């Protein structure tokens, strides 16, 4: 990555006849003690610097150049934005150039101090659930947790009785217990502790959840209010996808269309109806059909309309989840599948497409007053496209057991890519736990199923298509 002052672009505006657009990509990192900027650097390397299409569109020998620049929008001097050069939106004859600024929503510092008691309470709550309430795709994780708890309990019992039985046995058991304690503190607590601190609201976690959300909302508000940006793409990896999902819903509630009347907002209401006709009815049916391409075109149209509206524009065109534990939402965000479905009906959780405000016809608007309309607060995916990329695997030797399909939980309108990632450098198995390799250039991947047909770098191709940074899949910018 080139490190140089951001001085390559003229400050007196684009040449005559050329249009320039700026977009922002916000990456929300996953669980664990992440280092600032580490996720963002590798992400940009995979989706921008090494993308052959971007290099071609850049139109200069150095290809897809980037710079690291200070930025006040992040709220931290430890974080910088990574800035790209302007590249052509194909075809070049349109004379449209696009620049991308990459941001990281860093939150690891806000969940420091995760305690064993909080982690044990979360695991205990999981173990005491009825097995019938555990989703099938979460059973491997559940069973592994049961086995780990039994081993932990057995070692604790041996520690208690070993000194009485045999001094040598006491030394061996103490060594094993010390190793286990180290694993809990250094491996499980930094990762699963983040899940315990954020996934469910408890009296102990409310303040941390609020701090993470407020930092994220502040960044998204700053970017949305900046007239330089016309588009924002929100990316969430691992636990970061749950955080990003929450931020999307909260920001939408602040900026959703309200106070609409036919007289002054007729054109907007027409576009709202165009997206709203895909809404899911109470019985789960979709009268307008389930063509994902048509839905995404309607979502893009509404985003293009709302980004120009008033003092609180909506600029998030795309939500991209990779390696997302939202596939296990039935026990991470709710107690069981029934509670999750109730949350969707009560508009606690948003789906793609949105749930209809009417029981018998697709409608995402409601009358907030006589002849005054508003779009309901759980309809963020009327204006934002959702793409999910996952590497389905088991807990023991292949793939990513944290990830999976999201359509069953969150709607048929999610465009999904399933990939099979293989690490190039692996001392054991190239398919062993691929959770952190979704944008890695040190990995290969094949597409799985009919969602994609790429070979070799299917994970990178899927992510690049989802981000659509050259806007080739969205029609006119």
């Amino acid at each position: 990555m080139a490190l140089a002052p951001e001085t390559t672009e003229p400050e007196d505006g684009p040449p005559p006849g050329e249009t320039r657009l700026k977009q922002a990509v916000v990456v929300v990192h996953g669980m664990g003690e992440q280092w600032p900027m580490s996720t963002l650097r590798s992400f940009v390397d995979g989706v921008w610097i090494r993308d052959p299409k971007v290099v071609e569109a850049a139109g200069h020998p150095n290809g897809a150049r980037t710079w690291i620049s200070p930025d006040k929008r992040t709220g931290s001097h430890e974080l910088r934005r990574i800035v790209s050069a302007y590249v052509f939106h194909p075809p070049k004859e349109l004379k449209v150039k696009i620049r991308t600024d990459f941001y990281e929503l860093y939150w690891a510092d806000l969940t420091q101090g995760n305690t064993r008691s909080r982690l044990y309470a979360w695991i205990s709550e999981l173990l005491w659930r009825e097995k019938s309430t555990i989703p099938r795709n979460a059973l491997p994780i559940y069973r592994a947790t049961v086995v780990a708890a039994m081993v932990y309990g057995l070692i604790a019992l041996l520690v208690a009785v070993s000194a009485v039985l045999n001094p040598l046995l006491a030394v061996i058991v103490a060594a094993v217990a010390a190793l286990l304690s180290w694993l809990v503190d250094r491996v499980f607590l930094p990762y699963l502790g983040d899940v315990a601190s954020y996934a469910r609201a408890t009296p102990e976690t409310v303040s941390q959840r609020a701090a993470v959300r407020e930092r994220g909302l502040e960044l998204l508000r700053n970017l949305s209010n900046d007239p330089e940006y016309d588009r924002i793409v929100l990316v969430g990896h691992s636990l970061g996808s749950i955080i990003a999902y929450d931020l999307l819903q909260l920001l939408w509630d602040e900026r959703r269309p309200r106070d609409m009347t036919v007289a002054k907002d007729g054109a907007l209401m027409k576009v709202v109806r165009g997206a709203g006709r895909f809404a899911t009815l109470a019985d789960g049916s979709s009268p307008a059909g389930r063509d994902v391409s048509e839905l995404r075109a309607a979502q893009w149209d509404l985003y293009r309309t709302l980004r120009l509206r008033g003092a609180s524009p909506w600029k998030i065109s795309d939500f991209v989840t990779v390696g997302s534990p939202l596939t296990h939402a039935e026990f991470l965000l709710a107690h069981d599948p029934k509670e999750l479905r109730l949350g969707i009906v009560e508009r606690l959780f948003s789906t793609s497409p949105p749930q209809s405000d009417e029981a018998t016809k697709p409608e995402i608007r409601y009358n907030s007053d006589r002849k005054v309309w508003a779009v309901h607060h759980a309809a963020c995916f009327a204006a934002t496209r959702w793409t999910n990329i996952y590497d389905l695997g088991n807990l023991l030797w292949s793939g990513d057991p944290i990830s999976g399909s999201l359509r069953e939980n969150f709607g048929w309108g999610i465009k999904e890519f399933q990939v099979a990632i293989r690490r190039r450098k692996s001392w054991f198995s190239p398919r062993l736990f691929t959770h952190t390799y979704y944008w890695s250039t040190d990995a290969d991947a094949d597409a799985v199923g009919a969602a994609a047909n790429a070979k070799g770098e299917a994970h990178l191709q899927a992510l690049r298509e989802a981000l659509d940074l050259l806007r080739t899949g969205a029609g006119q910018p």
Side-chain angles (χ1 to χ4, degrees), residues 342-464:
L342 179 61
I344 291 173
V345 171
E346 294 177 336
R347 299 181 187 168
L348 177 61
F349 304 118
S350 300
T351 62
S352 179
Q355 302 298 301
S356 177
D357 191 68
E358 301 284 347
T360 58
K361 64 177 182 178
E363 180 64 84
I364 60 174
R365 305 171 306 163
Y366 64 93
N367 279 114
S368 58
D369 201 349
R370 186 172 180 269
K371 295 184 178 181
V372 178
W373 295 81
V375 179
H376 72 69
H377 68 267
C380 55
F381 294 110
T384 300
R385 305 177 297 188
W386 188 346
T387 304
N388 179 52
I389 304 170
Y390 65 99
D391 181 9
L392 192 63
N394 56 57
L395 196 64
L396 298 179
W397 60 81
S398 71
D400 178 11
I402 295 175
S403 72
S405 173
L406 304 184
R407 285 181 175 175
E408 183 178 354
N409 288 336
F410 295 101
W412 61 265
I414 303 173
K415 185 175 183 179
E416 294 199 305
F417 296 91
Q418 183 179 352
V419 296
I421 301 173
R422 302 180 305 277
R423 295 182 291 178
R424 293 174 187 164
K425 301 175 182 179
S426 176
W427 59 270
F428 182 66
S429 169
R431 289 279 291 144
L432 179 64
F433 198 65
T434 60
H435 182 64
T436 59
Y437 283 80
Y438 285 96
W439 53 81
S440 174
T441 55
D442 291 326
D444 296 312
D446 294 332
V448 178
N453 56 14
K455 295 288 183 181
E457 290 189 340
H459 61 313
L460 289 172
Q461 293 184 37
L463 185 53
R464 291 164 183 168

Side-chain angles (χ1 to χ4, degrees), residues 307-322:
R307 73 185 181 188
L308 300 174
R309 185 174 189 262
S312 298
W314 180 258
K315 295 183 179 180
I316 303 178
S317 67
D318 289 270
F319 176 48
V320 182
T321 51
V322 288

Side-chain angles (χ1 to χ4, degrees), residues 238-269:
S238 189
L239 180 59
S241 67
I242 298 181
I243 296 172
Y245 175 76
D246 290 344
L247 295 177
L248 197 66
Q249 295 185 103
L250 293 170
L251 189 69
W252 173 260
D253 186 46
E254 292 180 4
R255 295 171 178 259
R256 60 192 169 101
R258 310 184 197 202
D259 302 325
M260 294 185 298
T261 64
V262 175
K264 69 180 181 68
D265 298 297
L268 170 60
M269 292 179 68

Side-chain angles (χ1 to χ4, degrees), residues 194-332:
D194 285 344
V195 178
S197 293
Y198 189 87
R200 295 291 297 274
T202 68
E204 289 184 319
T205 65
V206 166
S207 60
Q208 284 187 331
R209 283 161 56 96
V212 171
R213 289 171 173 174
E214 191 51 45
R215 177 178 291 180
L217 284 172
E218 188 66 20
L219 174 58
L220 292 177
R221 290 183 191 123
N222 289 338
L223 295 174
S224 297
N225 293 337
D226 191 330
E228 290 189 347
Y229 295 114
D230 75 320
R231 180 188 180 215
I232 300 171
V233 179
L234 184 60
V235 183
H237 172 243
S238 189
L239 180 59
S241 67
I242 298 181
I243 296 172
Y245 175 76
D246 290 344
L247 295 177
L248 197 66
Q249 295 185 103
L250 293 170
L251 189 69
W252 173 260
D253 186 46
E254 292 180 4
R255 295 171 178 259
R256 60 192 169 101
R258 310 184 197 202
D259 302 325
M260 294 185 298
T261 64
V262 175
K264 69 180 181 68
D265 298 297
L268 170 60
M269 292 179 68
K270 182 179 180 181
V271 182
V272 168
R273 286 195 299 270
R277 68 188 181 91
F278 292 97
T280 302
L281 301 186
D283 61 2
S285 63
S286 302
R290 298 194 173 192
D291 189 313
V292 176
S293 297
E294 288 187 4
L295 170 63
R296 289 171 72 85
Q299 291 167 325
W300 181 264
D301 286 343
L302 184 53
Y303 141 74
R304 290 182 66 194
T305 303
L306 293 180
R307 73 185 181 188
L308 300 174
R309 185 174 189 262
S312 298
W314 180 258
K315 295 183 179 180
I316 303 178
S317 67
D318 289 270
F319 176 48
V320 182
T321 51
V322 288
S324 177
L326 284 169
T327 189
H328 308 304
E330 301 98 318
F331 78 93
L332 284 178

